[in-house]
Amino acid sequence: MNVTPPFTSHATELLTNYHAVRSYTDTLAAPLSSEDQCIQSMADVSPTKWHRGHTTWFFEAFLLNPYLVGYRRFHVAFDYLFNSYYEEVGQRHPRSERGNLSRPSCEEVAAYRAYADEAMDRLLAQPLDGDIIDLVTLGLHHEQQHQELLLMDIKHVLSTNQALWPAYSGQWIADGISSANHDQVMWVDYEGGEVWLGHSGDGFAYDNEGPCHRTFLMPYQLATQLITNGEWLQFMADGGYRTPTLWLSDGWHLVQEMGWRCPFYWYRQDDQWFEFTLAGLQPVILHEPVCHLSYYEADAFARWADARLPTEAEWEYAAGNVAGSENPLQELFGRRWQWTSSPYCAYPGFRSAPGAVGEYNGKFMSNQFVLRGGSCATSQGHIRATYRNFFHPHTRWHFSGVRLARDAS
Amino acid sequence: MNVTPPFTSHATELLTNYHAVRSYTDTLAAPLSSEDQCIQSMADVSPTKWHRGHTTWFFEAFLLNPYLVGYRRFHVAFDYLFNSYYEEVGQRHPRSERGNLSRPSCEEVAAYRAYADEAMDRLLAQPLDGDIIDLVTLGLHHEQQHQELLLMDIKHVLSTNQALWPAYSGQWIADGISSANHDQVMWVDYEGGEVWLGHSGDGFAYDNEGPCHRTFLMPYQLATQLITNGEWLQFMADGGYRTPTLWLSDGWHLVQEMGWRCPFYWYRQDDQWFEFTLAGLQPVILHEPVCHLSYYEADAFARWADARLPTEAEWEYAAGNVAGSENPLQELFGRRWQWTSSPYCAYPGFRSAPGAVGEYNGKFMSNQFVLRGGSCATSQGHIRATYRNFFHPHTRWHFSGVRLARDAS
Amino acid sequence: MNVTPPFTSHATELLTNYHAVRSYTDTLAAPLSSEDQCIQSMADVSPTKWHRGHTTWFFEAFLLNPYLVGYRRFHVAFDYLFNSYYEEVGQRHPRSERGNLSRPSCEEVAAYRAYADEAMDRLLAQPLDGDIIDLVTLGLHHEQQHQELLLMDIKHVLSTNQALWPAYSGQWIADGISSANHDQVMWVDYEGGEVWLGHSGDGFAYDNEGPCHRTFLMPYQLATQLITNGEWLQFMADGGYRTPTLWLSDGWHLVQEMGWRCPFYWYRQDDQWFEFTLAGLQPVILHEPVCHLSYYEADAFARWADARLPTEAEWEYAAGNVAGSENPLQELFGRRWQWTSSPYCAYPGFRSAPGAVGEYNGKFMSNQFVLRGGSCATSQGHIRATYRNFFHPHTRWHFSGVRLARDAS
Amino acid sequence: MNVTPPFTSHATELLTNYHAVRSYTDTLAAPLSSEDQCIQSMADVSPTKWHRGHTTWFFEAFLLNPYLVGYRRFHVAFDYLFNSYYEEVGQRHPRSERGNLSRPSCEEVAAYRAYADEAMDRLLAQPLDGDIIDLVTLGLHHEQQHQELLLMDIKHVLSTNQALWPAYSGQWIADGISSANHDQVMWVDYEGGEVWLGHSGDGFAYDNEGPCHRTFLMPYQLATQLITNGEWLQFMADGGYRTPTLWLSDGWHLVQEMGWRCPFYWYRQDDQWFEFTLAGLQPVILHEPVCHLSYYEADAFARWADARLPTEAEWEYAAGNVAGSENPLQELFGRRWQWTSSPYCAYPGFRSAPGAVGEYNGKFMSNQFVLRGGSCATSQGHIRATYRNFFHPHTRWHFSGVRLARDAS
């Protein structure tokens, strides 16, 4: 995937973008039965149906209710059912019990989407001031984020059915990606020094990508490519999962408690390694980038390889703003989220926006690490060099991989 | 409900019974969407879809596979997915994760049912020896048990949706039962002495209802009617849930840990008590028998009322084999399962049958109490005076109530 | 151990008994350091120091406070710290946090004991009415119960120290018992029929041992001796802990969850089985009665041996009231508590006494099974044929063993 | 407390320092009974006795065993019992079960200390190369860290005894600190710009304090004083603990789950706030710096006050290397550990040392936040401007407080 230009926030194009994003959600849900769409296979997972409702609610709560004169909400209970975590908006259905909701049905959710889309058409046909344009733009990026979450979550849902190993769609062979074989890790040198970190300029970015600010980098190197399944098998064969000194203390406790011995979604059958993918259970392909790792595993692998993970500043500086193909670093965007060693926290001068929208990113700044670069499941136009994804270090159900770094010698 | 004769096990009528029982399961599932049918709202609950599959698997595993020549099982994975707890049959999908299975779909389960029914038609058209007849009969009683479980479970599933309070079916107003008002507890005296306990004779009974054996009863009394919601409100008003000396020690810990203050499914709204029923949220009706109690609550109420719960021997002796209408005790059958003070254990001389069918009842003889009499959710023809239902004392999602007993003065 | 006469409740002998029982508690604590005495190694365990304080509090709360004119309690906080479970007496320190109390010190507890003993001397020197005599007698039996608990608990405390394996006292080799070798299980026949169960007559008994009442027994057999370690090793070698069909359902879940593979306190070292005893880590002696089993293990063993556990009525009838040496059954008393298949519940006509003393036994009548016969850790004079000990079926830290029963052929 | 010079690592003074540090541990343990010393009141707490043994083991494992010819270890099991978390050294007694170890006794631990001290005297009398001197110095700083942990832990142990509220020592009134009253928050301005962060130069520092490296600071302000109890009460009165928008998401979940309503160790009695201190239960003093806060509380307070927490770079730059009295910032050192908004992670170029000593700091670099400045419980000579303490954000049993920061206007 190249980094395509994000959709603009010009009013004239907003409606086109709105329809494109909204209908892509429906495209993603299309292969799924109503049963598939209502299951929550662990607390971190949300049902597909809920993603479809929640992204619609976002437009209703932040745009239609306040700004479309005469709008009547689709259902009075949906504020309660489809609010994710916005305390300012009010009480919510408990997150861990989203999978107990058989109602509204998939059909009712589809009706809710159509109803809100029709209303949004009317809103977007009006002259819009900048605040509204910004909120619509945010709503579309928000929906794109949920498109990737939808894929992460349905993969987990289907993976629990280990008698049938259902495929989401045969089009997602090896998660949709074929990769050129590469022989060995190559390193690119960076001088470092004083650099700027964070988003500036005109395009859309989340609040947590700014303010743009100066920082220092020591000279460093980044690997040109992502760690592959084949390299991961070497780590496993060398006792990586049984060697405590490779691991952070919290990680080692988890390895023992959970019995981790391989990446998430790997299964051993008849002396062969298989990987559960969106296309079903498939043999592990050696030259594919390894996927579905916790931070702890990524960090332990780096230590085993006598390297380390990059900081997000190192990654962002190297990624620059150039498209992937001109960069000596390959696989920067759209293959695997790359764990950085940077805890997710505020950039200097960051302040959350007032009101409920300010809860979008700022309140999660503890206990998480930043990932960069997007994955095969990231929606087109949703990724950029300054984008900061974040997850707790023990989580594994995202499309995460490893790019190594090291200090310049 | 009167106690209707159970379906016979004569071969000539077996096919009729088979179709009646099987189609009643479909009748019960009919008001439910495919989403409703795949949810497991707590570990004790199974999805409707699973009940439909498991009851079919019972016939496949115990009759079609061994006895129908040339039978090919519908799907090789269904032994794994639809086995409940039969260790002899093999590995099983974990019970607490039945709600993660989006596949097979409701439609596939319907096809499975039709496939097995067609095969059963062929089997039942053959000359049958007694063992097979007994197994078919067991399978039908098994399916009737799951019919009540299906209703218990779907009630729980729907109850978790407290924004929408979905009704299962409007026909089940106050769980389908209207009750005559009664003014006060009346007592019936029993002399006791040497009595016989347990099933004997020709009709069907589960293995745990026998052997029929002698026991002694001291003189005792039973209340003519079940405890009502109105009486339960008096218990609550008198601090019943806040008075530790009324409770068994294990029960009191639970009251504090869970914050119990009223029967399960009761909710307080605008200074009024409501009860979630299969017909949706309804005001509590004072003269209805109280429902959905743990053993601990039933026992505490009895102590508060200066009475006690009956033993199962006392209950069974009083129930006799007469139909409800001739008995001075009212509401014996088909209204509320009545908690007894008898732990569920083996009758003298009881031995489990060999093979997987022997796992049906015997292996649950610890930590449970016996309930008698059946409920409004019990299938026609499934109840009898010797029937022993059993649940752990902390559970509440069954249609359970209270009939008081006391020693003769 | 023979069944010695229990101490009488004649006022003239009460003081002698009082001193004997109280000083035996001190004898039991004597080998223990102050550190040993304050540890709670699991929630079921109480520190030795707490046992010493609680048994003293019993006399203070139920005798000195109400009946000794001018008595001033030793410390106002001890009602809170040393009340075990008497709701009527008031609030209590949480049971699971008894091991966090470094104060009062062992020395202060010793002073408390001396203070209360001096006051009891004064009380017992007065003319006493029957109620007081009964309460003192209850207090002494209560203290004897805690003497066995003290030994159970300190054994568990010391067992957790698996680097040092500290011995409580070298006198307790193989828990103090040498056993005659026996070659094979011998059976004694009992006709059964109408029998009387429960305590009657003059001697002391707990309230739960009555009322004495009639019951019926089918013809049955009991094994003359307890199951030995050698026989248990055969069960293990035959896959007893890996065969689900031998187990109750609740038990099998526990076997898997806890990884049980041998009796509690057994450890495998250098291809040999060792048992942690009060005399430290010792090789398992084949002809000793096996000890420290859950109900589930006892029940599974019986099923493996094509036998069953006795009911408490069968056990009590066979034990009679004769001393052990005249009985064809050996090892009836004072070796291992023998699990019965009887859930712990009320005898017909049982009612708890009013007031706090009524909480002694009655409120535990759920989820437990009865054990009979006493163990090597039971105090002299504390056991009798009608004595009903009870524990939850998953517990193992008591000195429990197995005597088999079976139906007469 | 002023920042006194740390003890030097010159060989000639090492012995003096060794004896001073070691005997101070004994001084801290002196007020405690043997019962006090063996209790572990939560998993994070270690018994006093264990701290005394573990600090001794550190010298044995890293100095006496490898470097003192002919040294025989005191007890073969102490490697297992007193190793804290050094995977390279071998297996360990589980951390959460340190409180189950009644043996070795306090007396045996004292003998162990004397034995190792005598051996260290011999080692330190020899000519020493730099590596050994560095290890001894590390061992002394390690023991000083445990001196503060000992005080934190015994405070927690004693706090659980809420019937007796035992005082550790009356000398620790209000935790030993009297504070000048201050009227309002005053701010000191800092220009920021390019600064150096981390330890350089000759004195001792832990590995995680380096390498010294450049970073940028935006203009900022720091409060001259710590937040007081009085100011915290205003936060509470303004609904601070009930306002979700003040909190990080993880923190708000914790507030609800744990029912936090005030700082740790605060208790409400008779309409007055009390604080459990090392001198027992004391009324909350309004002008004292507030203590025992989680990161989440500190962060929420800052948001409520329209400010933020400082980064560790901001704090360190402002602290400089000057002694506290010359600095416009008061209460920098030795009063309360000051939460920073900086997650604990590696400085650029950081690498753990090889071998077990490398496990000292590096493996904890996830999920923790840095605190700066030391507390009233920090040992003399153990604090410096570059010192990085770290705890998980939910923890509260450390002597932590709040200093506010904000962006320059």
Side-chain angles (χ1 to χ4, degrees), chain C residues 43-250:
Chain C
D44 281 336
V45 159
S46 295
T48 300
K49 188 176 72 175
W50 189 88
H51 285 298
R52 295 171 65 202
H54 165 68
T55 47
T56 304
W57 169 85
F58 193 97
F59 289 106
E60 189 175 63
F62 296 123
L63 285 150
L64 297 173
N65 288 341
Y67 297 118
L68 182 61
V69 177
Y71 178 75
R72 298 178 55 124
R73 62 190 70 197
F74 184 76
H75 193 297
V76 67
F78 284 15
D79 255 354
Y80 180 82
L81 291 172
F82 289 127
N83 179 359
S84 54
Y85 56 67
Y86 296 89
E87 301 281 352
E88 294 233 347
V89 177
Q91 296 289 307
R92 291 163 307 289
H93 186 74
R95 180 188 173 112
S96 60
E97 296 177 32
R98 289 176 187 162
N100 290 341
L101 298 172
S102 61
R103 324 279 178 97
S105 67
C106 285
E107 283 176 20
E108 288 167 302
V109 169
Y112 180 38
R113 290 182 69 85
Y115 179 88
D117 286 349
E118 187 276 337
M120 284 296 295
D121 281 352
R122 277 184 284 138
L123 180 67
L124 296 178
Q126 301 172 7
L128 302 175
D129 70 20
D131 282 359
I132 294 183
I133 292 173
D134 287 351
L135 277 169
V136 175
T137 305
L138 180 64
L140 294 178
H141 284 276
H142 171 259
E143 184 140 351
Q144 288 191 310
Q145 268 191 290
H146 277 276
Q147 287 164 356
E148 178 154 4
L149 287 168
L150 185 158
L151 290 168
M152 287 163 55
D153 289 357
I154 198 64
K155 182 169 181 175
H156 190 269
V157 167
L158 298 175
S159 79
T160 65
N161 196 332
Q162 303 191 354
L164 301 177
W165 297 115
Y168 165 68
S169 162
Q171 295 181 300
W172 289 74
I173 286 293
D175 294 318
I177 301 285
S178 66
S179 172
N181 204 336
H182 64 79
D183 289 280
Q184 61 182 74
V185 177
M186 303 282 286
W187 299 94
V188 180
D189 278 280
Y190 298 90
E191 289 281 331
E194 181 181 321
V195 302
W196 288 85
L197 181 65
H199 181 82
S200 64
D202 292 336
F204 173 85
Y206 286 122
D207 57 357
N208 63 5
E209 298 173 48
C212 187
H213 61 284
R214 280 190 299 178
T215 192
F216 266 117
L217 295 180
M218 309 275 285
Y220 68 104
Q221 300 180 314
L222 292 182
T224 53
Q225 282 173 294
L226 302 178
I227 296 302
T228 63
N229 289 327
E231 287 159 336
W232 201 266
L233 283 163
Q234 293 174 38
F235 171 70
M236 290 162 60
D238 197 38
Y241 283 97
R242 297 188 308 272
T243 307
T245 48
L246 294 175
W247 295 78
L248 288 168
S249 179
D250 289 351

Side-chain angles (χ1 to χ4, degrees), chain D residues 142-182:
Chain D
H142 171 260
E143 183 140 353
Q144 288 191 310
Q145 269 192 287
H146 277 276
Q147 287 165 356
E148 179 154 2
L149 287 168
L150 184 159
L151 289 168
M152 288 163 54
D153 290 357
I154 198 65
K155 183 170 181 174
H156 190 270
V157 167
L158 298 176
S159 79
T160 63
N161 195 333
Q162 302 191 356
L164 301 176
W165 297 115
Y168 164 68
S169 161
Q171 295 182 301
W172 288 75
I173 285 293
D175 294 318
I177 300 285
S178 66
S179 171
N181 203 334
H182 63 80

